[in-house]
Amino acid sequence: MFFIDTIEVAGLGNRSYLAGGERTAVAVDPPRDIDQVIAAAARRGVRISHVVETHVHNDYVTGGLELARLTGAAYLVPAGARVSYERVPVHDGDRSEIDATAGLILRALATPGHTPHHTSYALEENGTAVAVFTGGSLLIGTVGRPDLVEPRLTEHLARAQHASAHRLATELPDDTAVLPTHGFGSFCSSGQAEGESTTIGKERASNEALTRDVDTFVADLLAGLDDIPAYYTHMGPANAAGPAPVDLSPPAVADAEEIAARLAAGEWVVDLRNRVAFAEGHVVGSFNFEAEGQLATYLAWLIPWGKPVTLLAESAGQLAAAQRELVRVGIDRPAAAATGEPARWAREGEDLASFSRATFADLAGHSKDGVVVLDVRRASERSAGIIEGSVHIPIHALHRRVHEVPEGQVWVHCAGGMRAAIAASLLDAAGRDVVAVDDSFDSAERAGLTVDTL
């Protein structure tokens, strides 16, 4: 018998896996905070004998090297990946015994497309493939994007994705479980996963990489590519060099004076509380990135790389969870932190800042005189409709383009409210009169607003 445990990395929209038999197991594409992988192995009572990477990741810092070091596992990395550390180079067709008593073998399948060296791994039980770890190759209803390595390679890699998907569908049984790393919100995916689980047979019937000819598939794939998070440029080099172990110990405590000094020095002070609490009262100049949202993705995307960040949290638990999220994208140590209530974070005699929240119905009923409607969705999202007369600056570009927002009261919206709250905090810190529209864009037209199509 074998087992496969899924380790969700929800904040980044990824999954890692632990698979094995009674005694030993393999960890696939582990996150930077490897303690949860070790804990999963302990619950199963197995030793991690192998750690494998499907590719050099572009969207997070891997924990594979450190996990292999701590467990003594063999560290398998595609042979074509250029890395600076000792590893077992994996070639197409290589087989690794995972658990002899369970008859478990891991077979490498070259599946270039997401990267030139990308490798999938079929888990075979007594010679029959029961699952395939597809990394950023064949995903649930989509494939990994091919444009993260080198612009000149994008079309070539898109064609390789098509060929790799067909290779998997040809060589593996229909009931083989497809277990991708990306596709659950990660920007490494060319689309959102369609469901929570799938098989080769299901993908053969529905995945466009397997139902469309290569030219049509490539044209549609390239046309649908979205913005690339800015921090991705730092992830590949970090993974190729060999990430350092993480330090999740509590950061130095900042009092109100230090928070003010760090703001005055141009550092980022990030309030992790939910957007409702932040709007009601916050330290002047602080930014709001909700701990329960896509904290790592959006903070790492927006912050100038290497800029010191101080975290403000409502509890020690919220702070610790945020630290765990951030080390996954290379923000290793907060400069300082504070917990509690915002009144404790402002110096004596200083007022807290606040701004209004509203719905699209509120906007529809409000006088448009002197009002700027700011849309911070990505360009690709605007194909579904835009509010007549709105100004468009994507959230990831707003911090450096605040000066482009026209004068007037700014009503800022996204698709659901989270990014609008981030944008509102950026505008508020810049001294603008802002209203955060905390509402689903689907309700804009029903509220009476004119929604145009591009």
Side-chain angles (χ1 to χ4, degrees):
M1 289 295 291
F2 68 93
F3 72 86
I4 300 175
D5 290 341
T6 300
I7 299 168
E8 296 281 356
V9 190
L12 294 179
N14 286 329
R15 288 177 176 175
S16 296
Y17 302 94
L18 182 74
E22 294 182 2
R23 298 178 181 177
T24 49
V26 57
V28 181
D29 288 344
R32 183 98 180 272
D33 49 325
I34 59 173
D35 55 341
Q36 58 181 324
V37 184
I38 294 172
R43 286 192 295 270
R44 287 286 185 177
V46 296
R47 177 177 63 87
I48 297 175
S49 60
H50 294 75
V51 176
V52 304
E53 305 282 6
T54 56
H55 60 294
V56 174
H57 303 283
N58 289 294
D59 65 328
Y60 70 93
V61 181
T62 181
L65 182 63
E66 180 65 4
L67 181 61
R69 185 187 70 82
L70 285 179
T71 61
Y75 189 30
L76 279 57
V77 178
R82 296 180 179 179
V83 297
S84 302
Y85 44 80
E86 292 295 322
R87 89 287 193 200
V88 177
V90 177
H91 299 85
D92 184 44
D94 284 356
R95 294 174 179 269
S96 303
E97 185 177 80
I98 301 304
D99 191 298
T101 59
L104 293 180
I105 298 290
L106 202 66
R107 177 165 62 96
L109 296 162
T111 47
H114 188 47
T115 67
H117 60 265
H118 191 283
T119 300
S120 298
Y121 299 88
L123 183 66
E124 298 179 347
E125 182 185 36
N126 298 320
T128 300
V130 293
V132 58
F133 302 104
T134 55
S137 183
L138 184 67
L139 310 185
I140 302 179
T142 184
V143 295
R145 58 193 297 172
D147 61 329
L148 302 180
V149 177
E150 158 62 54
R152 291 172 295 183
L153 292 177
T154 297
E155 182 174 349
H156 168 76
L157 289 176
R159 291 181 177 277
Q161 278 290 51
H162 187 270
S164 292
H166 279 264
R167 179 187 185 187
L168 293 172
T170 299
E171 295 190 14
L172 299 174
D174 277 358
D175 59 356
T176 305
V178 175
L179 303 175
T181 300
H182 303 314
F184 309 96
S186 168
F187 282 87
C188 269
S189 172
S190 62
Q192 182 69 19
E194 298 176 2
E196 289 297 311
S197 64
T198 192
T199 63
I200 288 292
K202 290 178 181 177
E203 293 307 304
R204 189 199 309 280
S206 61
N207 194 303
E208 292 183 353
L210 297 171
T211 60
R212 295 188 174 189
D213 67 85
V214 62
D215 291 332
T216 302
F217 167 77
V218 169
D220 289 346
L221 178 61
L222 299 185
L225 292 175
D226 214 333
D227 298 317
I228 301 173
Y231 72 92
Y232 275 26
T233 191
H234 304 283
M235 300 296 97
N239 288 323
V246 299
D247 178 3
L248 292 175
S249 63
V253 178
D255 60 15
E257 290 293 338
E258 182 176 351
I259 291 169
R262 290 188 176 279
L263 283 167
E267 297 182 9
W268 277 38
V269 174
V270 172
D271 191 325
L272 300 168
R273 295 174 302 141
N274 71 71
R275 56 185 182 260
V276 176
F278 182 87
E280 291 175 348
H282 54 269
V283 175
V284 176
S286 61
F287 302 143
N288 182 215
F289 289 79
E290 292 181 297
E292 289 75 24
Q294 290 178 278
L295 169 65
T297 295
Y298 282 100
L299 180 55
W301 196 341
L302 271 64
I303 192 170
W305 197 251
K307 174 81 73 174
V309 59
T310 295
L311 301 178
L312 307 180
E314 62 185 10
S315 68
Q318 186 180 66
L319 174 61
Q323 283 185 257
R324 182 177 289 272
E325 287 275 329
L326 295 177
V327 298
R328 294 170 179 163
V329 292
I331 301 177
D332 283 9
R333 291 294 295 167
T339 58
E341 297 293 329
R344 296 170 53 187
W345 305 333
R347 293 179 294 190
E348 187 174 353
E350 289 184 340
D351 293 330
L352 296 174
S354 63
F355 52 78
S356 299
R357 297 168 53 253
T359 65
F360 283 110
D362 296 325
L363 176 58
H366 192 276
S367 170
K368 301 305 182 290
D369 293 339
V371 166
V372 177
V373 177
L374 176 64
D375 181 351
V376 296
R377 295 175 299 164
R378 298 184 301 280
S380 60
E381 296 175 271
R382 285 166 56 84
S383 62
I386 63 172
I387 294 176
E388 183 182 40
S390 61
V391 175
H392 178 232
I393 302 177
I395 182 62
H396 57 268
L398 181 60
H399 184 62
R400 63 180 183 273
R401 295 176 58 188
V402 167
H403 64 281
E404 297 180 24
V405 180
E407 293 299 317
Q409 185 180 60
V410 184
W411 289 57
V412 58
H413 80 86
C414 59
M418 181 194 74
R419 288 171 293 172
I422 296 172
S425 74
L426 298 177
L427 291 163
D428 177 73
R432 297 300 299 268
D433 179 11
V434 63
V435 177
V437 179
D438 195 355
D439 199 359
S440 169
F441 186 76
D442 293 341
S443 65
E445 192 166 23
R446 294 196 300 271
L449 293 166
T450 301
V451 176
D452 298 327
T453 55
L454 293 177

